[in-house]
Amino acid sequence: MALNARRGGLVHGTKVSTRGGWKPVEQLQAGDLIRTLDSGFKAVSRIATDTIAVEPGETKAENMPVRVPAHAAFNVRPVWLMPEQGVALDNTKLAQDPIKLPLSLPVVSARLLCGAFRIISDVPASCFNISTLFFDQDEVIYIEGGFRAFCPSGRFGAGSSSYEVVEAETASNLVNLSARGADIGVLANSLGSLPAPVFDHPIVPTRPARGARRPGRPGRPVMMI
């Protein structure tokens, strides 16, 4: 059974940042460790997969997915967002504006991004699949293009005060403010441009002992005293 597009979720083909690098959302399984904005790597507790259908000739933004053109953010190819998929904005890049900002990280519906940074309402296909990721509590994860996707826990009382899904009017004001500032960093993070796995611990190169040289590399011989 195909469902209406008026909802959240990640369109199949969208890559998600995991402990093992970037993986298409349709390849993820419950238990996989996903990189989150505030909680390090967290295991997916449940994944729901659905088929979405868009009526021919549909023009209402609330019923259509959102297309982020290639290179609009940190994406080398177009990225699709469902109209009600939450996208977390970076408060710190809006702090100097007189608009009253939410104390928590503001989350807006993707459909409200249309018109900013060349983002438009469009349809990837008349019928396509999506996956919705659930965690033990509300989380914000990194997806392709560097966007910060909001994943509600789906469990009553398991939300997080770190994120605030703002009302439509406030959300529109924040998106317009972002567009005027022309700073894509409000919507996306350069982490989205990294193709390699992202580690949760620093990697420090080991220096050779003083006076010794690495095998196979030119250098001064060890001086005997």
Side-chain angles (χ1 to χ4, degrees):
M1 178 180 176
L3 303 175
N4 188 277
R6 196 171 186 174
R7 57 174 300 173
L10 301 177
V11 177
H12 282 193
T14 303
K15 293 181 180 179
V16 176
S17 181
T18 75
R19 184 186 286 272
W22 295 88
K23 294 183 179 180
V25 65
E26 65 270 23
Q27 293 182 9
L28 299 178
Q29 299 178 354
D32 284 351
L33 295 175
I34 309 300
R35 186 176 179 86
T36 68
L37 178 63
D38 295 314
S39 306
F41 289 96
K42 288 293 181 182
V44 179
S45 59
R46 182 168 63 90
I47 301 176
T49 300
D50 296 299
T51 299
I52 302 298
V54 179
E55 293 292 332
E58 180 62 74
T59 58
K60 293 183 178 179
E62 60 267 27
N63 295 330
M64 299 176 65
V66 174
R67 183 178 187 271
V68 182
H71 306 293
F74 302 100
N75 52 310
V76 296
R77 60 174 188 158
V79 171
W80 293 92
L81 301 170
M82 293 298 287
E84 294 303 326
Q85 172 58 51
V87 177
L89 306 183
D90 187 345
N91 248 357
T92 63
K93 299 183 182 299
L94 299 171
Q96 302 302 317
D97 194 270
I99 291 179
K100 185 178 180 180
L101 299 174
L103 295 178
S104 303
L105 193 70
V107 175
V108 303
S109 296
R111 61 182 173 82
L112 299 176
L113 302 178
C114 293
F117 303 102
R118 301 187 289 122
I119 299 173
I120 61 173
S121 292
D122 202 351
V123 181
S126 60
C127 198
F128 55 93
N129 295 323
I130 68 169
S131 289
T132 305
L133 308 183
F134 296 94
F135 296 84
D136 288 338
Q137 65 178 19
D138 293 352
E139 298 288 359
V140 169
I141 66 173
Y142 290 102
I143 65 172
E144 188 173 1
F147 291 98
R148 298 171 285 259
F150 177 63
C151 297
S153 67
R155 297 169 56 191
F156 180 76
S160 170
S161 60
S162 298
Y163 317 117
E164 179 181 347
V165 180
V166 295
E167 298 179 356
E169 183 177 354
T170 300
S172 295
N173 288 336
L174 292 175
V175 171
N176 291 335
L177 178 61
S178 303
R180 290 202 305 270
D183 185 357
I184 194 63
V186 176
L187 303 181
N189 187 287
S190 58
L191 177 68
S193 64
L194 299 177
V198 181
F199 300 97
D200 58 350
H201 60 275
I203 301 176
V204 181
T206 303
R207 294 176 62 87
R210 186 176 180 181
R213 67 178 185 181
R214 295 172 179 167
R217 294 189 62 183
R220 296 160 116 190
V222 177
M223 296 187 64
M224 306 298 296
I225 298 179

